[in-house]
Amino acid sequence: MLNTLAVSFNEPLDTVRGGIYIWPRKFTLYNYYVVFNMDTIYNAFYISVTKTIVIVVTNLFFTSMLAYTISRKEYIFRKFITTVFVLTMYFNAGLIPNYLLIKKLGLLNTFSVYWIPNIVSAFNLIVMRTYIKTIPESLIESAKIDGAREFHIYWRIVLPLITPCLATIALFVAVGSWNSWFDTFLYNSARQDLSTLQYELQKLLSSTMTAGTRGAPAGINEAGRAGTSGTGSGNVTTPQSIRAAITIFTSVPILLVYPFLQRYFIHGLAIGSVKE
């Protein structure tokens, strides 16, 4: 991580020489200037943040509700539903059938294509169901005796008790959603207003690798290059430098979120993955 940070703050052509370890040899902000100078990056950042929040909220709600349902011994279809979801972890129709399904459902080139296919995750479902089973059955029975119905028990009793598990799953889902770009490329590449941050940065990296050391990638105008300072090498970017700047830039949001979930992470993962 320190090496990537050093490379991102080092002059691109100097980085090509090698020998950069944990401290930049020739400090520059040009790599980040290239990233932040993209016209589409701010809307893409907004879409990525909105997409991640919506996916996390919907995934936690529907996955936890289904996990509570199949954790009830009195529900006769619990084994069948669990088997169906487990099978999806081992068998996949493939890229083309999935694309045709998304198109048939009318989700192509819409924001809904980001979150509807991610409403329930089979792996998260199994982890959450196992965690719910650790809740003493006497609590649920007492609630039923007091007249509480199933949704009330789920919302007022089960959810507060599985907070560590929810935080762990939220972190998994958020990282996966934040880092994904292929769904944008596959389903929403025709709509620039729905492009995500990862997809835009991936296009920037691709254009940089194509341009090589001949100059800044597409999207950096002449006025922008003239406004940078340096000896000349500061106005040239390389794939290695841009890759490092993109890595740091996209890691910061997750690094800011993780401290708030850290105290739940180990506890939630350990209990949710071991059946007692």
Side-chain angles (χ1 to χ4, degrees), residues 146-202:
D146 291 337
R149 298 191 176 184
E150 293 295 344
F151 188 82
H152 183 83
I153 295 173
Y154 157 76
W155 187 258
R156 300 295 298 272
I157 297 177
V158 174
L159 281 186
L161 292 176
I162 64 171
T163 300
C165 184
L166 291 176
T168 303
I169 299 301
L171 185 62
F172 285 161
V173 175
V175 171
S177 173
W178 181 259
N179 289 335
S180 65
W181 66 270
F182 193 66
D183 52 352
T184 306
F185 169 74
L186 196 61
Y187 305 125
N188 277 339
S189 57
R191 290 193 57 178
Q192 181 61 49
D193 59 321
L194 292 179
S195 183
T196 57
L197 178 64
Q198 299 291 348
Y199 182 54
E200 291 301 315
L201 294 179
Q202 189 272 338

Side-chain angles (χ1 to χ4, degrees), residues 9-201:
F9 282 111
N10 198 72
E11 285 190 2
L13 291 184
D14 182 67
T15 301
V16 176
R17 295 168 46 198
I20 305 297
Y21 298 106
I22 62 173
W23 194 259
R25 188 163 47 220
K26 293 185 178 181
F27 183 84
T28 182
L29 294 176
Y30 181 71
N31 298 319
Y32 291 95
Y33 171 80
V34 172
V35 173
F36 284 103
N37 199 61
M38 296 174 60
D39 295 332
T40 58
I41 192 170
Y42 298 103
N43 181 71
F45 182 83
Y46 169 76
I47 294 295
S48 291
V49 172
T50 305
K51 164 193 168 185
T52 301
I53 293 175
V54 171
I55 289 178
V56 168
V57 172
T58 55
N59 186 280
L60 288 181
F61 177 71
F62 288 102
T63 302
S64 61
M65 190 159 50
L66 181 58
Y68 170 71
T69 302
I70 63 176
S71 68
R72 298 297 88 211
K73 295 180 180 180
E74 60 272 18
Y75 185 56
I76 60 175
F77 295 110
R78 68 185 189 280
K79 291 185 178 180
F80 172 75
I81 294 178
T82 303
T83 303
V84 170
F85 274 93
V86 169
L87 288 176
T88 64
M89 299 173 64
Y90 299 98
F91 300 98
N92 193 301
L95 187 61
I96 295 178
N98 281 333
Y99 179 84
L100 295 176
L101 175 62
I102 293 297
K103 184 177 181 180
K104 189 70 174 179
L105 293 174
L107 298 178
L108 211 59
N109 296 319
T110 65
F111 183 82
S112 299
V113 76
Y114 290 136
W115 65 273
I116 289 182
N118 296 294
I119 284 180
V120 177
S121 169
F123 175 79
N124 297 340
L125 176 66
I126 301 303
V127 172
M128 204 170 293
R129 183 206 62 176
T130 307
Y131 195 104
I132 292 176
K133 285 186 175 181
T134 64
I135 299 176
E137 193 67 27
S138 57
L139 288 177
I140 297 177
E141 291 177 356
S142 298
K144 289 182 178 180
I145 293 174
D146 291 337
R149 298 191 176 184
E150 293 295 344
F151 188 82
H152 183 83
I153 295 173
Y154 157 76
W155 187 258
R156 300 295 298 272
I157 297 177
V158 174
L159 281 186
L161 292 176
I162 64 171
T163 300
C165 184
L166 291 176
T168 303
I169 299 301
L171 185 62
F172 285 161
V173 175
V175 171
S177 173
W178 181 259
N179 289 335
S180 65
W181 66 270
F182 193 66
D183 52 352
T184 306
F185 169 74
L186 196 61
Y187 305 125
N188 277 339
S189 57
R191 290 193 57 178
Q192 181 61 49
D193 59 321
L194 292 179
S195 183
T196 57
L197 178 64
Q198 299 291 348
Y199 182 54
E200 291 301 315
L201 294 179

